[in-house]
Amino acid sequence: EVAKAFAEEVQRELGSDHLWPGQTYCEMEPARDRAEALAIEVAMLKRDLEAIRAVDPKAVLYTTSWTFLARSNENVKAFLDALPDDAVQVWEMPSDLERGEPQYRQLDYFHGKPWLFGFLYAYGGTTMLHGDLADLIKRAKDVAADPKAGKCLGIAIQPEALRHNPIAFDLLSRAGWNPNALDLNGFLEDYAVR
């Protein structure tokens, strides 16, 4: 009832792009037993979808992959399999932290669900100039060239701090349009002119 009332109010005030938050228990678990926690999360996800689709029949729930950091691949698959492909998207968050295999590969390309390649990039309090621009370009080009990344819809930029380090966010925004056209030297020259 609360989820439906919330969706009605949001739709009345803002309209809808059909994307609705579907994050469950991020950075916490609703039960100590992993199987019980998964059952609670899946039930919550399904009930939220039912309530929101009663208001917006084209609703798609998005969840960030931050929720999956402490979960097994099997657990993530069970969570994502609870909803049909047209009802869920995964917005990857911590790819800018990975120094090994990116999360989308660790989790088997989010098990065939639509997803966005993601950057958290600025954690709360991380507001100084920082980052590896060449690596950001490389990561964006890698996912664009990956034949298994066919369900990747684009880039999600989800910082915890705003109005700082504009060069990195400008670069990430351009990577979302056409990562293969990016060249660091050309980007820096263009950025300096602008």
Side-chain angles (χ1 to χ4, degrees):
E1 290 174 13
V2 172
K4 185 177 179 203
F6 176 79
E8 287 170 344
E9 185 66 21
V10 168
Q11 186 126 324
R12 183 173 32 260
E13 289 291 320
L14 304 172
S16 177
D17 59 5
H18 310 300
L19 293 173
W20 296 83
Q23 190 83 15
T24 57
Y25 294 85
C26 186
E27 297 185 8
M28 65 182 85
E29 294 190 22
R32 289 180 189 227
D33 177 72
R34 190 61 232 141
E36 183 183 358
L38 178 61
I40 292 168
E41 290 171 333
V42 166
M44 179 181 165
L45 197 64
K46 286 181 173 183
R47 293 293 300 272
D48 282 349
L49 180 65
E50 178 185 347
I52 293 168
R53 279 202 166 168
V55 175
D56 180 0
K58 295 181 181 177
V60 174
L61 300 182
Y62 66 86
T63 185
T64 69
S65 66
W66 193 263
T67 300
F68 306 150
L69 289 177
R71 313 286 164 90
S72 70
N73 194 15
E74 295 76 24
N75 185 272
V76 171
K77 182 177 183 342
F79 178 84
L80 293 174
D81 283 350
L83 294 180
D85 289 359
D86 72 340
V88 66
Q89 282 183 9
V90 177
W91 293 8
E92 187 188 41
M93 283 186 80
S95 65
D96 50 317
L97 292 181
E98 300 293 333
R99 289 297 172 233
E101 200 68 15
Q103 193 182 30
Y104 63 88
R105 286 189 186 136
Q106 292 174 27
L107 297 175
D108 196 22
Y109 300 83
F110 301 110
H111 303 283
K113 298 300 183 188
W115 57 283
L116 299 173
F117 179 57
F119 292 90
L120 182 52
Y121 194 70
Y123 296 81
T126 310
T127 57
M128 75 294 275
L129 186 65
H130 71 281
D132 182 341
L133 299 182
D135 187 59
L136 295 180
I137 292 172
K138 179 189 177 310
R139 289 172 183 278
K141 286 183 176 184
D142 285 351
V143 75
D146 189 333
K148 293 182 180 178
K151 292 275 186 138
C152 181
L153 304 176
I155 290 180
I157 304 169
Q158 306 169 76
E160 290 182 340
L162 298 172
R163 298 192 176 106
H164 77 285
N165 208 2
I167 192 169
F169 292 102
D170 188 290
L171 176 63
L172 287 171
S173 296
R174 289 173 182 268
W177 287 107
N178 187 359
N180 293 320
L182 280 176
D183 162 73
L184 183 56
N185 289 333
F187 167 78
L188 291 173
E189 288 176 19
D190 177 68
Y191 185 82
V193 168
R194 287 184 288 119

